[in-house]
Amino acid sequence: MSIDQLPEIALAMVARGKGIIAIDESNATIKKRFDSVGVECTEENRRAYREMLLTTPGLGDYISGAILFDETLRQKTKDGKPFTQLMMENGILPGIKVDKGTVPLAGFPGEVVTEGLDGLRDRLKEYAALGAKFAKWRAVINIGEDMPSKTCIDANMHALARYAALCQEAGIVPMVEPEIIMDGDHDIDTCYDVTEATLRELFQQLFEQNVLIEGVILKASMVLSGKDCEEQADVEEVAAQTVHCLKATVPANLPGIVFLSGGQSDELATEHLNEMNTFENNPWPLSFSYGRAMQSAALKIWAKDIVNNVAEAQKTVYARAKDNGLAAMGEWK
């Protein structure tokens, strides 16, 4: 795919009333999820679980794409059809997580930087051949005493921009995810300031690396009070602060923004998204790219009987996709 086709894919990812499902947990992370519901973390169980999610009837009504893990991108349904083929037939774009996770940022205790740039050009070439249309890279910004440092923000945003440039070179739409972590007792104003500084640096770096903004999707965290903050901002304030921050930092020619749930409850993530979409004059579509908030209820049902509870679990996946699809239009009740 040439760079000229990237804006078309990016716009399809944020089509009206549709969002992205994130099923890109690493094997270590999915093991934790499976352990919590008493399912053994074998390759076959991981494959069966992801097949359950991806074969949900009508999923393409509200889901435009799915972020996969390396293993999943290569897997097939039990009938032998590659997941990527199944997805494309149902109007769902295959995406791939390409970062290698975070490591401590040397010299800055408590801060991390994301690795994975080494060898990324070749990996992207292979992923494009396997059918990936977009990719995702997550940077992690912690809030705490004297955190984040400018060094941490700069290092992570520079890596995100280099990753984005390599994706576009390979004909893949980069999803850039600078996640501001909810942990801590900071108030919503602190979160606003950190989010603003992070996004300003991100778009400056993307510009400096000659990344085509029309071929990028931003996966953003909402502006929230810290998890341990005594005064939690209400839904209206979260929506207003988030949209205000985005309007102050994000170019209007970006095709769209999808939010991560970032540890919010399923319903709260939907409520916040819905509220933001009741505002007039948002320059870009605001949608969702939820992982846990799309899967947690379904995982519990599926885990009780992984052979016979597939249809029952899929009903919850569809219901969550529908709720969030409606919220992406400001029509969720």
Side-chain angles (χ1 to χ4, degrees):
M1 189 161 50
S2 77
I3 198 157
D4 304 340
Q5 293 164 289
L6 297 180
E8 196 183 324
I9 295 282
L11 286 168
M13 289 166 68
V14 287
R16 182 168 160 75
K18 293 188 181 188
I20 311 274
I21 184 169
I23 53 175
D24 58 344
E25 303 88 355
S26 66
N27 290 350
T29 302
I30 197 92
K31 184 180 187 310
K32 281 185 209 150
R33 306 265 164 90
F34 277 11
D35 287 350
S36 73
V37 290
V39 172
E40 196 187 347
C41 189
T42 60
E43 186 183 348
E44 174 49 32
N45 283 348
R46 292 193 296 270
R47 191 207 61 74
Y49 175 61
R50 268 114 185 205
E51 177 171 350
M52 179 275 290
L53 295 169
L54 291 171
T55 54
T56 295
L59 190 65
D61 297 349
Y62 300 103
I63 296 293
S64 59
I67 311 167
L68 310 176
F69 186 58
D70 180 277
E71 174 183 84
T72 318
L73 188 73
R74 304 168 191 277
Q75 285 173 330
K76 297 176 175 160
T77 64
K78 61 178 181 296
D79 301 337
K81 182 179 281 192
F83 280 162
T84 49
Q85 186 188 334
L86 168 85
M87 291 165 70
M88 290 299 283
E89 285 171 3
N90 292 318
I92 298 171
L93 296 162
I96 177 75
K97 171 167 77 174
V98 300
D99 68 68
K100 295 287 180 87
T102 61
V103 292
L105 182 61
F108 292 84
E111 301 199 275
V112 294
V113 65
T114 303
E115 293 197 325
L117 288 170
D118 289 352
L120 181 57
R121 177 176 269 131
D122 292 336
R123 285 195 291 134
L124 287 167
K125 213 176 281 179
E126 186 193 4
Y127 289 146
L130 286 168
K133 303 294 179 197
F134 70 98
K136 189 201 82 166
W137 178 290
R138 173 176 175 255
V140 172
I141 306 293
N142 291 309
I143 299 179
E145 200 174 335
D146 298 326
M147 291 196 303
S149 62
K150 185 173 185 312
T151 308
C152 174
I153 292 175
D154 290 357
N156 276 293
M157 297 312 107
H158 180 75
L160 264 175
R162 285 185 59 200
Y163 139 83
L166 285 164
C167 282
Q168 291 192 340
E169 177 189 86
I172 286 176
V173 170
M175 181 186 276
V176 290
E177 179 183 5
E179 180 175 0
I180 316 299
I181 302 296
M182 273 175 79
D183 298 349
D185 58 5
H186 54 274
D187 60 15
I188 190 168
D189 294 335
T190 304
C191 182
Y192 182 101
D193 292 343
V194 171
T195 306
E196 182 182 35
T198 301
L199 290 174
R200 275 194 200 289
E201 184 59 29
L202 171 62
F203 285 99
Q204 181 62 35
Q205 290 284 351
L206 290 169
F207 176 72
E208 286 176 12
Q209 306 271 347
N210 282 342
V211 173
L212 178 73
I213 295 299
E214 292 88 341
V216 174
I217 293 291
L218 171 64
K219 180 165 178 173
S221 32
M222 297 178 193
V223 177
L224 302 159
S225 318
K227 223 185 272 180
D228 303 322
C229 179
E230 283 177 15
E231 275 193 49
Q232 289 290 319
D234 62 21
V235 169
E236 288 75 19
E237 188 178 4
V238 167
Q241 293 262 40
T242 302
V243 171
H244 189 268
C245 187
L246 293 168
K247 282 183 173 175
T249 53
V250 178
N253 60 338
L254 185 86
I257 298 169
V258 294
F259 290 100
L260 54 100
S261 47
Q264 301 177 63
S265 71
D266 296 5
E267 189 149 307
L268 198 54
T270 305
E271 215 174 327
H272 283 143
L273 177 64
N274 189 72
E275 183 67 23
M276 284 183 235
N277 278 299
T278 62
F279 298 173
E280 287 175 12
N281 306 327
N282 291 335
W284 349 253
L286 299 175
S287 191
F288 62 94
S289 174
Y290 295 160
R292 265 176 299 186
M294 284 286 302
Q295 297 179 50
S296 54
L299 175 60
K300 286 175 191 150
I301 295 167
W302 176 78
K304 285 178 186 154
D305 186 338
I306 64 177
V307 176
N308 298 313
N309 275 10
V310 169
E312 198 55 38
Q314 287 177 333
K315 281 181 197 160
T316 351
V317 178
Y318 184 81
R320 294 295 307 133
K322 183 177 181 179
D323 282 351
N324 288 307
L326 291 171
M329 300 185 285
E331 292 172 8
W332 178 74
K333 296 288 181 285

